[in-house]
Amino acid sequence: MFPFKDVAAVEHIDTPLSNEMIDALDLWYKMYTDSPPWLSPGKVKSLNLPSLICSEVARQVLLEVKWNISGKADENGNAQDSPRAEYLKAEFGKLMQSLRSKLEQACAAGGMTIKPYPKDGHIYFDCATAWSLYPIAFDDDGNLKDVIFRDSYQDGTTTYTRLERHTVTDKGISITQRAFRSNNRESIGVEIPLTDVPQWAEAEPEALLTDTEGQMFGWFKTANANNVDIDAPMGVAVFNKAVNIIREADMQYSRILWEYEGSELAIDVDPTVLRPQMNGRGRQEMPQLNERLFRGVDLGDDHYQVFSPAIRDSALFNGLNQLFMRVEDSCGLARGTLSDANQEARTATELRIVKQRTYATIADNQQALERALREVVRAMDKYADLYNLAPAGEYEVSFD
């Protein structure tokens, strides 16, 4: 998680995010990384549903996406040759090839920024989820007007952190960069010159970009409404509305595991059947066959009896399947995504309704992602101008 308190201290500015929103970001992080707070060793285990839900949403969002960057069409609708368009298409293709894994994490965090940056004649992309952002201000449309990005790496026991701040001003986009060094991963440490870190030695401490027509990154927010902090223009995890149900599903799953463990086959034997332990201390043990199979119990005249109770798995699995359905409903996913689609018969009308639910969820997130990607291409075009990466020219972006 982003060290909010440390950044607030070094930048001398607070984030507008409420404590409820910060706590929610922390909870989503723990759930996605399969360490929710309700887990208990030996009692409550995880189904890892948040990761599965995010993976499924990201997969469907990008499964059939088609895109193209071409020269601007003439009066007859034919695309004109454009070296700028060809350059942008080649560089943008690298992002699209690796986007699915980043989008999955963004679905868990509620959103992400995609920030292009030039290096060695090419354009690379830094995808930062909401867990790695420190939002400071938003404009009237809810876009990030002032934000801090964090970049860090470990060198032995030393952690180096770079804070890069992008601020929209009347003159353009102001970008400032600061570096910090710490021997404690939980602390941002003390400020050092950028030149002290070889990877950041060429970075400018301050820069002003003009005529950018917006921030130099694209910001994707999940299409779900924010019910954590209604006034916050931040996205929420795609599984946010199902948090409590996911908790119940984990507990139900743990009950099923206990049912199987508690009903394991065992043979209760009379102590007279046991033999003295080899160490001569007089303790009794069974021959080394299976430590969980034999148990010493005073059975009177009987020498042994078999413990093999019936397993109530049908009722327990049915309860778990009902919870899966509630998770699907809360996340806007069709029945059968998590649950057993064959467990209940459905009419054609009902099937159409549940499929439309997933269609709406995926379509809304596709539109949100397209808006962010168009902003990314715009920023790439500006960098191509600033660093003479490709000849100037017009281009068109299309998504399907």
Side-chain angles (χ1 to χ4, degrees):
M1 283 292 297
F2 202 105
F4 278 86
K5 293 182 179 180
D6 284 347
V7 175
V10 299
E11 291 287 346
H12 305 291
I13 190 168
D14 293 328
T15 176
L17 297 187
S18 64
N19 291 331
E20 290 79 10
M21 193 67 202
I22 295 175
D23 290 342
L25 284 165
D26 184 60
L27 176 61
W28 301 334
Y29 180 85
K30 292 177 179 177
M31 292 178 66
Y32 177 70
T33 55
D34 203 23
S35 56
W38 54 78
L39 295 189
S40 176
K43 295 183 179 180
V44 182
K45 298 184 179 180
S46 172
L47 281 163
N48 202 12
L49 290 180
S51 178
L52 177 60
I53 294 169
C54 294
S55 176
E56 181 63 18
V57 171
R59 184 186 69 84
Q60 294 195 42
V61 165
L62 293 174
L63 183 63
E64 297 180 347
V65 168
K66 298 178 182 179
W67 63 274
N68 190 33
I69 301 178
S70 59
K72 199 167 186 178
D74 58 18
E75 296 178 354
N76 298 323
N78 298 318
Q80 300 296 306
D81 292 336
S82 171
R84 175 62 61 90
E86 294 177 1
Y87 175 81
L88 294 177
K89 181 177 180 179
E91 300 300 313
F92 187 74
K94 298 183 298 184
L95 170 65
M96 297 303 295
Q97 290 177 356
S98 60
L99 187 57
R100 181 181 293 186
S101 60
K102 300 297 183 181
L103 182 61
E104 177 184 326
Q105 296 175 351
C107 287
M112 70 173 172
T113 58
I114 306 174
K115 181 164 60 72
Y117 63 93
K119 183 179 180 181
D120 301 329
H122 294 279
I123 295 180
Y124 300 88
F125 304 89
D126 181 18
C127 298
T129 63
W131 296 317
S132 298
L133 302 176
Y134 187 86
I136 298 174
F138 302 88
D139 62 19
D140 294 338
D141 294 326
N143 298 314
L144 283 169
K145 183 179 180 180
D146 194 354
V147 61
I148 297 176
F149 300 93
R150 179 190 60 171
D151 181 20
S152 62
Y153 78 95
Q154 196 81 10
D155 184 9
T157 59
T158 304
T159 301
Y160 294 94
T161 302
R162 180 175 61 89
L163 299 183
E164 180 178 329
R165 182 174 179 178
H166 288 231
T167 307
V168 177
T169 67
D170 295 337
K171 298 180 180 180
I173 306 298
S174 172
I175 301 177
T176 61
Q177 301 190 74
R178 304 171 65 184
F180 298 84
R181 181 180 60 225
S182 174
N183 293 324
N184 181 4
R185 296 187 64 179
E186 303 299 325
S187 174
I188 198 170
V190 296
E191 186 169 6
I192 59 175
L194 288 166
T195 53
D196 285 2
V197 186
Q199 289 88 331
W200 306 329
E202 298 181 0
E204 295 290 340
E206 295 183 8
L208 180 65
L209 304 183
T210 59
D211 300 325
T212 61
E213 301 177 9
Q215 286 276 29
M216 297 297 285
F217 56 81
W219 188 31
F220 164 74
K221 292 191 299 182
T222 56
N224 306 58
N226 189 336
N227 63 337
V228 175
D229 186 349
I230 297 177
D231 297 326
M234 296 284 290
V236 297
V238 294
F239 55 81
N240 174 62
K241 294 181 180 178
V243 168
N244 292 329
I245 311 173
I246 291 174
R247 176 179 179 272
E248 292 299 325
D250 282 348
M251 297 183 70
Q252 180 72 0
Y253 172 65
S254 301
R255 294 187 189 101
I256 294 175
L257 295 180
W258 169 246
E259 178 75 11
Y260 278 102
E261 183 177 352
S263 58
E264 284 184 337
L265 175 67
I267 299 178
D268 298 327
V269 297
D270 191 88
T272 58
V273 180
L274 300 176
R275 69 182 184 191
Q277 194 172 15
M278 297 300 293
N279 58 20
R281 297 180 180 177
R283 295 178 57 187
Q284 307 258 306
E285 68 169 7
M286 279 300 299
Q288 296 297 321
L289 296 177
N290 190 316
E291 294 180 358
R292 298 184 300 176
L293 182 60
F294 296 98
R295 304 180 303 191
V297 180
D298 188 358
L299 300 175
D301 295 334
D302 296 329
H303 291 293
Y304 75 93
Q305 65 183 19
V306 178
F307 175 80
S308 182
I311 301 177
R312 304 169 299 162
D313 56 345
S314 297
L316 291 172
F317 273 113
N318 181 64
L320 181 61
N321 196 62
Q322 293 297 321
L323 290 171
F324 284 163
M325 292 180 182
R326 292 190 59 194
V327 172
E328 292 165 341
D329 293 343
S330 299
C331 296
L333 299 175
R335 296 284 175 84
T337 305
L338 302 173
S339 62
D340 183 359
N342 299 319
Q343 188 154 332
E344 58 179 9
R346 287 194 169 276
T347 65
T349 301
E350 289 176 318
L351 289 173
R352 185 164 55 251
I353 291 174
V354 297
K355 288 182 179 179
Q356 287 174 345
R357 182 183 296 134
T358 292
Y359 178 86
T361 299
I362 300 305
D364 290 345
N365 281 284
Q366 283 178 334
Q367 292 177 6
L369 181 61
E370 179 181 341
R371 288 192 294 270
L373 292 176
R374 287 184 178 275
E375 293 297 302
V376 172
V377 177
R378 174 190 54 78
M380 293 172 60
D381 183 50
K382 297 301 178 182
Y383 278 126
D385 288 336
L386 289 170
Y387 291 88
N388 297 317
L389 301 177
E394 296 185 336
Y395 66 93
E396 288 184 340
V397 185
S398 63
F399 288 94
D400 182 14

PDB file of all heavy atoms in Angstrom, residues 321-322 324-330 332-342 344 346 350-351 353-355 357-358:
ATOM      1  N   ASN A 321     -22.800 -22.947  -3.082  1.00  0.00           N
ATOM      2  CA  ASN A 321     -23.212 -22.545  -4.424  1.00  0.00           C
ATOM      3  C   ASN A 321     -24.172 -21.360  -4.376  1.00  0.00           C
ATOM      4  O   ASN A 321     -24.124 -20.468  -5.230  1.00  0.00           O
ATOM      5  CB  ASN A 321     -23.866 -23.724  -5.147  1.00  0.00           C
ATOM      6  CG  ASN A 321     -23.960 -23.510  -6.636  1.00  0.00           C
ATOM      7  OD1 ASN A 321     -22.959 -23.367  -7.324  1.00  0.00           O
ATOM      8  ND2 ASN A 321     -25.186 -23.464  -7.156  1.00  0.00           N
ATOM      9  N   GLN A 322     -25.044 -21.328  -3.372  1.00  0.00           N
ATOM     10  CA  GLN A 322     -25.952 -20.193  -3.205  1.00  0.00           C
ATOM     11  C   GLN A 322     -25.170 -18.911  -2.916  1.00  0.00           C
ATOM     12  O   GLN A 322     -25.515 -17.830  -3.407  1.00  0.00           O
ATOM     13  CB  GLN A 322     -26.945 -20.478  -2.072  1.00  0.00           C
ATOM     14  CG  GLN A 322     -27.938 -21.598  -2.360  1.00  0.00           C
ATOM     15  CD  GLN A 322     -28.858 -21.274  -3.524  1.00  0.00           C
ATOM     16  OE1 GLN A 322     -29.291 -20.131  -3.669  1.00  0.00           O
ATOM     17  NE2 GLN A 322     -29.166 -22.266  -4.336  1.00  0.00           N
ATOM     18  N   PHE A 324     -22.089 -18.362  -3.946  1.00  0.00           N
ATOM     19  CA  PHE A 324     -21.468 -18.012  -5.225  1.00  0.00           C
ATOM     20  C   PHE A 324     -22.428 -17.199  -6.088  1.00  0.00           C
ATOM     21  O   PHE A 324     -22.038 -16.226  -6.738  1.00  0.00           O
ATOM     22  CB  PHE A 324     -21.043 -19.276  -5.980  1.00  0.00           C
ATOM     23  CG  PHE A 324     -19.793 -19.916  -5.449  1.00  0.00           C
ATOM     24  CD1 PHE A 324     -19.472 -21.227  -5.782  1.00  0.00           C
ATOM     25  CD2 PHE A 324     -18.920 -19.213  -4.631  1.00  0.00           C
ATOM     26  CE1 PHE A 324     -18.316 -21.820  -5.307  1.00  0.00           C
ATOM     27  CE2 PHE A 324     -17.765 -19.796  -4.146  1.00  0.00           C
ATOM     28  CZ  PHE A 324     -17.460 -21.101  -4.485  1.00  0.00           C
ATOM     29  N   MET A 325     -23.703 -17.600  -6.095  1.00  0.00           N
ATOM     30  CA  MET A 325     -24.692 -16.872  -6.897  1.00  0.00           C
ATOM     31  C   MET A 325     -24.867 -15.449  -6.393  1.00  0.00           C
ATOM     32  O   MET A 325     -24.995 -14.512  -7.185  1.00  0.00           O
ATOM     33  CB  MET A 325     -26.033 -17.614  -6.854  1.00  0.00           C
ATOM     34  CG  MET A 325     -26.040 -18.948  -7.567  1.00  0.00           C
ATOM     35  SD  MET A 325     -27.650 -19.759  -7.463  1.00  0.00           S
ATOM     36  CE  MET A 325     -27.306 -21.289  -8.324  1.00  0.00           C
ATOM     37  N   ARG A 326     -24.859 -15.275  -5.097  1.00  0.00           N
ATOM     38  CA  ARG A 326     -24.991 -13.930  -4.546  1.00  0.00           C
ATOM     39  C   ARG A 326     -23.773 -13.078  -4.879  1.00  0.00           C
ATOM     40  O   ARG A 326     -23.883 -11.874  -5.122  1.00  0.00           O
ATOM     41  CB  ARG A 326     -25.196 -14.006  -3.030  1.00  0.00           C
ATOM     42  CG  ARG A 326     -26.522 -14.610  -2.602  1.00  0.00           C
ATOM     43  CD  ARG A 326     -26.736 -14.432  -1.116  1.00  0.00           C
ATOM     44  NE  ARG A 326     -26.718 -13.030  -0.747  1.00  0.00           N
ATOM     45  CZ  ARG A 326     -26.611 -12.584   0.504  1.00  0.00           C
ATOM     46  NH1 ARG A 326     -26.492 -13.453   1.507  1.00  0.00           N
ATOM     47  NH2 ARG A 326     -26.609 -11.292   0.755  1.00  0.00           N
ATOM     48  N   VAL A 327     -22.591 -13.696  -4.882  1.00  0.00           N
ATOM     49  CA  VAL A 327     -21.382 -12.966  -5.277  1.00  0.00           C
ATOM     50  C   VAL A 327     -21.495 -12.526  -6.735  1.00  0.00           C
ATOM     51  O   VAL A 327     -21.180 -11.386  -7.085  1.00  0.00           O
ATOM     52  CB  VAL A 327     -20.122 -13.835  -5.074  1.00  0.00           C
ATOM     53  CG1 VAL A 327     -18.900 -13.155  -5.676  1.00  0.00           C
ATOM     54  CG2 VAL A 327     -19.892 -14.082  -3.588  1.00  0.00           C
ATOM     55  N   GLU A 328     -21.952 -13.436  -7.597  1.00  0.00           N
ATOM     56  CA  GLU A 328     -22.117 -13.110  -9.012  1.00  0.00           C
ATOM     57  C   GLU A 328     -23.090 -11.956  -9.200  1.00  0.00           C
ATOM     58  O   GLU A 328     -22.832 -11.025  -9.981  1.00  0.00           O
ATOM     59  CB  GLU A 328     -22.607 -14.346  -9.773  1.00  0.00           C
ATOM     60  CG  GLU A 328     -21.569 -15.458  -9.864  1.00  0.00           C
ATOM     61  CD  GLU A 328     -22.165 -16.780 -10.290  1.00  0.00           C
ATOM     62  OE1 GLU A 328     -23.404 -16.962 -10.171  1.00  0.00           O
ATOM     63  OE2 GLU A 328     -21.400 -17.651 -10.740  1.00  0.00           O
ATOM     64  N   ASP A 329     -24.222 -12.002  -8.499  1.00  0.00           N
ATOM     65  CA  ASP A 329     -25.212 -10.928  -8.608  1.00  0.00           C
ATOM     66  C   ASP A 329     -24.614  -9.592  -8.159  1.00  0.00           C
ATOM     67  O   ASP A 329     -24.837  -8.558  -8.798  1.00  0.00           O
ATOM     68  CB  ASP A 329     -26.441 -11.259  -7.768  1.00  0.00           C
ATOM     69  CG  ASP A 329     -27.215 -12.464  -8.310  1.00  0.00           C
ATOM     70  OD1 ASP A 329     -26.991 -12.823  -9.484  1.00  0.00           O
ATOM     71  OD2 ASP A 329     -28.024 -13.036  -7.565  1.00  0.00           O
ATOM     72  N   SER A 330     -23.875  -9.596  -7.069  1.00  0.00           N
ATOM     73  CA  SER A 330     -23.313  -8.358  -6.526  1.00  0.00           C
ATOM     74  C   SER A 330     -22.220  -7.788  -7.419  1.00  0.00           C
ATOM     75  O   SER A 330     -22.022  -6.569  -7.460  1.00  0.00           O
ATOM     76  CB  SER A 330     -22.756  -8.599  -5.116  1.00  0.00           C
ATOM     77  OG  SER A 330     -23.778  -9.018  -4.233  1.00  0.00           O
ATOM     78  N   GLY A 332     -22.112  -8.190 -10.730  1.00  0.00           N
ATOM     79  CA  GLY A 332     -22.586  -7.985 -12.092  1.00  0.00           C
ATOM     80  C   GLY A 332     -22.112  -9.050 -13.051  1.00  0.00           C
ATOM     81  O   GLY A 332     -21.843  -8.773 -14.217  1.00  0.00           O
ATOM     82  N   LEU A 333     -22.024 -10.289 -12.589  1.00  0.00           N
ATOM     83  CA  LEU A 333     -21.580 -11.398 -13.417  1.00  0.00           C
ATOM     84  C   LEU A 333     -22.710 -12.392 -13.617  1.00  0.00           C
ATOM     85  O   LEU A 333     -23.585 -12.537 -12.753  1.00  0.00           O
ATOM     86  CB  LEU A 333     -20.383 -12.108 -12.775  1.00  0.00           C
ATOM     87  CG  LEU A 333     -19.129 -11.262 -12.565  1.00  0.00           C
ATOM     88  CD1 LEU A 333     -18.084 -12.062 -11.803  1.00  0.00           C
ATOM     89  CD2 LEU A 333     -18.568 -10.781 -13.898  1.00  0.00           C
ATOM     90  N   ALA A 334     -22.698 -13.077 -14.733  1.00  0.00           N
ATOM     91  CA  ALA A 334     -23.744 -14.044 -15.042  1.00  0.00           C
ATOM     92  C   ALA A 334     -23.620 -15.277 -14.160  1.00  0.00           C
ATOM     93  O   ALA A 334     -22.525 -15.644 -13.731  1.00  0.00           O
ATOM     94  CB  ALA A 334     -23.667 -14.440 -16.512  1.00  0.00           C
ATOM     95  N   ARG A 335     -24.755 -15.919 -13.901  1.00  0.00           N
ATOM     96  CA  ARG A 335     -24.742 -17.177 -13.164  1.00  0.00           C
ATOM     97  C   ARG A 335     -23.937 -18.212 -13.938  1.00  0.00           C
ATOM     98  O   ARG A 335     -24.048 -18.340 -15.138  1.00  0.00           O
ATOM     99  CB  ARG A 335     -26.176 -17.688 -12.959  1.00  0.00           C
ATOM    100  CG  ARG A 335     -27.043 -16.780 -12.086  1.00  0.00           C
ATOM    101  CD  ARG A 335     -26.693 -16.915 -10.633  1.00  0.00           C
ATOM    102  NE  ARG A 335     -27.425 -15.969  -9.809  1.00  0.00           N
ATOM    103  CZ  ARG A 335     -28.666 -16.160  -9.350  1.00  0.00           C
ATOM    104  NH1 ARG A 335     -29.324 -17.264  -9.667  1.00  0.00           N
ATOM    105  NH2 ARG A 335     -29.246 -15.256  -8.589  1.00  0.00           N
ATOM    106  N   GLY A 336     -23.125 -18.939 -13.220  1.00  0.00           N
ATOM    107  CA  GLY A 336     -22.254 -19.918 -13.843  1.00  0.00           C
ATOM    108  C   GLY A 336     -20.817 -19.452 -13.935  1.00  0.00           C
ATOM    109  O   GLY A 336     -19.927 -20.251 -14.219  1.00  0.00           O
ATOM    110  N   THR A 337     -20.574 -18.163 -13.694  1.00  0.00           N
ATOM    111  CA  THR A 337     -19.199 -17.665 -13.685  1.00  0.00           C
ATOM    112  C   THR A 337     -18.435 -18.283 -12.526  1.00  0.00           C
ATOM    113  O   THR A 337     -17.289 -18.710 -12.663  1.00  0.00           O
ATOM    114  CB  THR A 337     -19.173 -16.141 -13.570  1.00  0.00           C
ATOM    115  OG1 THR A 337     -19.956 -15.568 -14.623  1.00  0.00           O
ATOM    116  CG2 THR A 337     -17.750 -15.614 -13.674  1.00  0.00           C
ATOM    117  N   LEU A 338     -19.066 -18.331 -11.363  1.00  0.00           N
ATOM    118  CA  LEU A 338     -18.485 -18.970 -10.180  1.00  0.00           C
ATOM    119  C   LEU A 338     -19.304 -20.183  -9.749  1.00  0.00           C
ATOM    120  O   LEU A 338     -18.749 -21.179  -9.301  1.00  0.00           O
ATOM    121  CB  LEU A 338     -18.418 -17.969  -9.016  1.00  0.00           C
ATOM    122  CG  LEU A 338     -17.640 -16.675  -9.235  1.00  0.00           C
ATOM    123  CD1 LEU A 338     -17.825 -15.747  -8.037  1.00  0.00           C
ATOM    124  CD2 LEU A 338     -16.165 -16.966  -9.435  1.00  0.00           C
ATOM    125  N   SER A 339     -20.612 -20.068  -9.858  1.00  0.00           N
ATOM    126  CA  SER A 339     -21.503 -21.111  -9.367  1.00  0.00           C
ATOM    127  C   SER A 339     -21.664 -22.228 -10.388  1.00  0.00           C
ATOM    128  O   SER A 339     -21.184 -22.139 -11.525  1.00  0.00           O
ATOM    129  CB  SER A 339     -22.875 -20.506  -9.048  1.00  0.00           C
ATOM    130  OG  SER A 339     -23.459 -19.958 -10.222  1.00  0.00           O
ATOM    131  N   ASP A 340     -22.362 -23.272  -9.969  1.00  0.00           N
ATOM    132  CA  ASP A 340     -22.660 -24.409 -10.840  1.00  0.00           C
ATOM    133  C   ASP A 340     -23.883 -24.043 -11.671  1.00  0.00           C
ATOM    134  O   ASP A 340     -24.992 -23.985 -11.164  1.00  0.00           O
ATOM    135  CB  ASP A 340     -22.913 -25.657 -10.009  1.00  0.00           C
ATOM    136  CG  ASP A 340     -23.170 -26.893 -10.865  1.00  0.00           C
ATOM    137  OD1 ASP A 340     -23.161 -26.764 -12.109  1.00  0.00           O
ATOM    138  OD2 ASP A 340     -23.379 -27.983 -10.301  1.00  0.00           O
ATOM    139  N   ALA A 341     -23.672 -23.794 -12.947  1.00  0.00           N
ATOM    140  CA  ALA A 341     -24.773 -23.337 -13.810  1.00  0.00           C
ATOM    141  C   ALA A 341     -25.818 -24.412 -14.031  1.00  0.00           C
ATOM    142  O   ALA A 341     -26.950 -24.110 -14.419  1.00  0.00           O
ATOM    143  CB  ALA A 341     -24.211 -22.884 -15.158  1.00  0.00           C
ATOM    144  N   ASN A 342     -25.481 -25.664 -13.789  1.00  0.00           N
ATOM    145  CA  ASN A 342     -26.420 -26.757 -14.045  1.00  0.00           C
ATOM    146  C   ASN A 342     -27.242 -27.135 -12.833  1.00  0.00           C
ATOM    147  O   ASN A 342     -28.040 -28.065 -12.897  1.00  0.00           O
ATOM    148  CB  ASN A 342     -25.642 -27.992 -14.523  1.00  0.00           C
ATOM    149  CG  ASN A 342     -24.892 -27.737 -15.800  1.00  0.00           C
ATOM    150  OD1 ASN A 342     -25.399 -27.095 -16.706  1.00  0.00           O
ATOM    151  ND2 ASN A 342     -23.649 -28.239 -15.863  1.00  0.00           N
ATOM    152  N   GLU A 344     -29.597 -25.467 -11.272  1.00  0.00           N
ATOM    153  CA  GLU A 344     -31.013 -25.115 -11.321  1.00  0.00           C
ATOM    154  C   GLU A 344     -31.419 -24.856 -12.766  1.00  0.00           C
ATOM    155  O   GLU A 344     -30.674 -24.284 -13.555  1.00  0.00           O
ATOM    156  CB  GLU A 344     -31.294 -23.880 -10.464  1.00  0.00           C
ATOM    157  CG  GLU A 344     -30.496 -22.655 -10.847  1.00  0.00           C
ATOM    158  CD  GLU A 344     -30.836 -21.467  -9.972  1.00  0.00           C
ATOM    159  OE1 GLU A 344     -31.563 -21.645  -8.975  1.00  0.00           O
ATOM    160  OE2 GLU A 344     -30.383 -20.362 -10.305  1.00  0.00           O
ATOM    161  N   ARG A 346     -33.369 -23.135 -15.863  1.00  0.00           N
ATOM    162  CA  ARG A 346     -33.730 -21.746 -16.131  1.00  0.00           C
ATOM    163  C   ARG A 346     -34.428 -21.649 -17.475  1.00  0.00           C
ATOM    164  O   ARG A 346     -34.144 -22.392 -18.406  1.00  0.00           O
ATOM    165  CB  ARG A 346     -32.485 -20.853 -16.135  1.00  0.00           C
ATOM    166  CG  ARG A 346     -31.927 -20.627 -14.747  1.00  0.00           C
ATOM    167  CD  ARG A 346     -30.931 -19.476 -14.754  1.00  0.00           C
ATOM    168  NE  ARG A 346     -30.597 -19.095 -13.392  1.00  0.00           N
ATOM    169  CZ  ARG A 346     -31.309 -18.276 -12.650  1.00  0.00           C
ATOM    170  NH1 ARG A 346     -32.418 -17.757 -13.134  1.00  0.00           N
ATOM    171  NH2 ARG A 346     -30.940 -17.964 -11.435  1.00  0.00           N
ATOM    172  N   GLU A 350     -34.838 -16.046 -18.436  1.00  0.00           N
ATOM    173  CA  GLU A 350     -33.948 -15.885 -17.282  1.00  0.00           C
ATOM    174  C   GLU A 350     -32.485 -15.945 -17.716  1.00  0.00           C
ATOM    175  O   GLU A 350     -31.651 -15.171 -17.226  1.00  0.00           O
ATOM    176  CB  GLU A 350     -34.244 -16.975 -16.253  1.00  0.00           C
ATOM    177  CG  GLU A 350     -35.570 -16.800 -15.538  1.00  0.00           C
ATOM    178  CD  GLU A 350     -35.871 -17.965 -14.600  1.00  0.00           C
ATOM    179  OE1 GLU A 350     -35.625 -19.118 -14.990  1.00  0.00           O
ATOM    180  OE2 GLU A 350     -36.338 -17.720 -13.480  1.00  0.00           O
ATOM    181  N   LEU A 351     -32.158 -16.854 -18.621  1.00  0.00           N
ATOM    182  CA  LEU A 351     -30.776 -16.949 -19.099  1.00  0.00           C
ATOM    183  C   LEU A 351     -30.354 -15.673 -19.808  1.00  0.00           C
ATOM    184  O   LEU A 351     -29.221 -15.216 -19.670  1.00  0.00           O
ATOM    185  CB  LEU A 351     -30.642 -18.145 -20.044  1.00  0.00           C
ATOM    186  CG  LEU A 351     -30.715 -19.533 -19.397  1.00  0.00           C
ATOM    187  CD1 LEU A 351     -30.742 -20.614 -20.464  1.00  0.00           C
ATOM    188  CD2 LEU A 351     -29.538 -19.748 -18.471  1.00  0.00           C
ATOM    189  N   ILE A 353     -31.446 -12.673 -19.201  1.00  0.00           N
ATOM    190  CA  ILE A 353     -31.277 -11.621 -18.202  1.00  0.00           C
ATOM    191  C   ILE A 353     -29.916 -11.712 -17.523  1.00  0.00           C
ATOM    192  O   ILE A 353     -29.202 -10.715 -17.389  1.00  0.00           O
ATOM    193  CB  ILE A 353     -32.406 -11.687 -17.155  1.00  0.00           C
ATOM    194  CG1 ILE A 353     -33.743 -11.286 -17.802  1.00  0.00           C
ATOM    195  CG2 ILE A 353     -32.100 -10.775 -15.970  1.00  0.00           C
ATOM    196  CD1 ILE A 353     -34.932 -11.469 -16.878  1.00  0.00           C
ATOM    197  N   VAL A 354     -29.531 -12.923 -17.099  1.00  0.00           N
ATOM    198  CA  VAL A 354     -28.256 -13.061 -16.395  1.00  0.00           C
ATOM    199  C   VAL A 354     -27.080 -12.833 -17.326  1.00  0.00           C
ATOM    200  O   VAL A 354     -26.033 -12.328 -16.910  1.00  0.00           O
ATOM    201  CB  VAL A 354     -28.149 -14.443 -15.704  1.00  0.00           C
ATOM    202  CG1 VAL A 354     -29.203 -14.603 -14.641  1.00  0.00           C
ATOM    203  CG2 VAL A 354     -28.239 -15.584 -16.721  1.00  0.00           C
ATOM    204  N   LYS A 355     -27.218 -13.184 -18.606  1.00  0.00           N
ATOM    205  CA  LYS A 355     -26.146 -12.915 -19.555  1.00  0.00           C
ATOM    206  C   LYS A 355     -26.022 -11.421 -19.830  1.00  0.00           C
ATOM    207  O   LYS A 355     -24.922 -10.897 -20.013  1.00  0.00           O
ATOM    208  CB  LYS A 355     -26.387 -13.684 -20.855  1.00  0.00           C
ATOM    209  CG  LYS A 355     -26.162 -15.188 -20.735  1.00  0.00           C
ATOM    210  CD  LYS A 355     -26.358 -15.883 -22.060  1.00  0.00           C
ATOM    211  CE  LYS A 355     -26.099 -17.390 -21.926  1.00  0.00           C
ATOM    212  NZ  LYS A 355     -26.304 -18.093 -23.219  1.00  0.00           N
ATOM    213  N   ARG A 357     -26.494  -9.170 -17.737  1.00  0.00           N
ATOM    214  CA  ARG A 357     -25.827  -8.569 -16.580  1.00  0.00           C
ATOM    215  C   ARG A 357     -24.315  -8.519 -16.819  1.00  0.00           C
ATOM    216  O   ARG A 357     -23.677  -7.486 -16.600  1.00  0.00           O
ATOM    217  CB  ARG A 357     -26.156  -9.367 -15.318  1.00  0.00           C
ATOM    218  CG  ARG A 357     -25.548  -8.778 -14.047  1.00  0.00           C
ATOM    219  CD  ARG A 357     -25.861  -9.654 -12.859  1.00  0.00           C
ATOM    220  NE  ARG A 357     -27.288  -9.706 -12.595  1.00  0.00           N
ATOM    221  CZ  ARG A 357     -27.966 -10.811 -12.347  1.00  0.00           C
ATOM    222  NH1 ARG A 357     -27.344 -11.973 -12.352  1.00  0.00           N
ATOM    223  NH2 ARG A 357     -29.257 -10.785 -12.107  1.00  0.00           N
ATOM    224  N   THR A 358     -23.737  -9.624 -17.261  1.00  0.00           N
ATOM    225  CA  THR A 358     -22.309  -9.630 -17.556  1.00  0.00           C
ATOM    226  C   THR A 358     -21.994  -8.709 -18.729  1.00  0.00           C
ATOM    227  O   THR A 358     -20.992  -7.988 -18.713  1.00  0.00           O
ATOM    228  CB  THR A 358     -21.832 -11.057 -17.889  1.00  0.00           C
ATOM    229  OG1 THR A 358     -21.906 -11.852 -16.707  1.00  0.00           O
ATOM    230  CG2 THR A 358     -20.392 -11.055 -18.377  1.00  0.00           C
TER     231      THR A 358
END
